[in-house]
């Protein structure tokens, strides 16, 4: 009869819950201590190992996210400098078309940031991360329609029919419903 592998302590597997088939069975004696690489570790140290590893992984993840955001910002800065330079060199008095490029590239960075930052920041006390992401995306969508409205409907201080209100009103209802759902789920 084949012996099924027993789970190893989490710190021995660096965060994994199930031992691979080739792993030796977990020691059954001395529950207050473990042996890792031939050294005896006290129970108080065993509990600290996964937390230290998790903190190290979180710092590494934050560093990666920061590098990605900085790279994204650098790329859009270069694109915008080129576009605005072309505009001022060629058609200074024409319609300021580069504002659409700037708006689109800034929108992409905002979407990038609001979708990764809640997962790399310390856990909020009351607001779940999924709700932070959803709320941020709803706000971003509303900002987008209002900026498009401003770019297209406003001339000489007069703005036409405020059509973005039909996006903002249902968004407010959605935010309210999502907040209620999050409040009931967290209890």
């Amino acid at each position: 009869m084949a012996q099924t592998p027993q789970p190893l302590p989490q710190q021995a597997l660096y965060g994994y819950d199930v031992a691979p088939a080739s792993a030796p069975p977990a020691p059954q004696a001395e529950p207050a201590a473990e042996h890792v690489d031939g050294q005896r570790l006290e129970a108080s140290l065993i509990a600290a190992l996964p937390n230290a590893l998790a903190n190290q992984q979180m710092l590494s993840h934050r560093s990666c996210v920061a590098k990605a955001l900085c790279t994204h910002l650098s790329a859009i800065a270069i694109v915008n400098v080129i576009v605005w330079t072309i505009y001022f060199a060629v058609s200074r008095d024409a319609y300021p078309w580069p504002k659409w490029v700037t708006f689109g590239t800034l929108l992409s960075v905002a979407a990038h940031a609001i979708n990764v930052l809640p997962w790399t920041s310390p856990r909020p006390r009351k607001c779940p991360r999924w709700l932070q992401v959803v709320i941020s995306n709803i706000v971003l969508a509303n900002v987008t329609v209002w900026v498009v409205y401003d770019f297209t409907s406003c001339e000489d201080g007069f703005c036409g029919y405020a059509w973005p209100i039909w996006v903002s009103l249902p968004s407010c209802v959605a935010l309210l419903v999502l907040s209620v759902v999050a409040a009931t789920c967290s209890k």
Side-chain angles (χ1 to χ4, degrees):
M1 177 157 89
Q3 183 181 12
T4 59
Q6 305 228 348
L8 286 176
Q10 190 174 10
Q11 73 277 3
L13 296 171
Y14 300 102
Y16 296 100
D17 292 330
V18 180
S22 61
Q28 299 297 322
E30 301 181 28
E34 284 291 334
H35 294 277
V36 176
D37 295 331
Q39 296 181 358
R40 186 171 187 267
L41 297 175
E42 296 299 324
S44 62
L45 293 176
I46 292 170
L49 284 176
N51 290 337
L53 184 61
N55 288 340
Q56 182 182 10
Q57 288 174 340
M58 181 59 82
L59 288 174
S60 173
H61 188 65
R62 286 181 185 165
S63 173
C64 185
V65 167
K67 287 177 187 173
L69 282 173
C70 287
T71 302
H72 197 164
L73 281 169
S74 299
I76 71 158
I78 291 168
V79 166
N80 280 285
V81 166
I82 291 169
V83 166
W84 282 100
T85 301
I86 291 170
Y87 170 75
F88 285 121
V90 176
S91 56
R92 184 179 303 225
D93 296 331
Y95 177 77
W97 56 268
K99 70 181 181 182
W100 289 101
V101 176
T102 301
F103 175 62
T105 54
L106 289 176
L107 190 63
S108 71
V109 169
H112 182 170
I114 66 174
N115 286 295
V116 297
L117 291 180
W119 301 102
T120 59
S121 62
R123 187 170 175 96
R125 293 182 186 209
K126 304 244 180 194
C127 185
R129 288 185 175 139
W130 68 265
L131 185 60
Q132 286 180 327
V133 171
V134 171
I135 288 172
S136 299
N137 280 292
I138 290 173
V139 169
L140 182 62
N142 277 276
V143 167
T144 301
V145 297
W146 282 101
V147 170
V148 168
Y149 168 73
D150 181 57
F151 281 4
T152 59
S153 300
C154 296
E155 290 183 21
D156 300 324
F158 175 75
C159 297
Y161 176 68
W163 57 266
I165 198 73
W166 298 110
V167 175
S168 296
L169 289 176
S171 295
C172 290
V173 172
L175 290 174
L176 180 64
V177 169
L178 288 169
S179 298
V180 169
V181 167
T184 59
C185 289
S186 64
K187 290 183 180 179

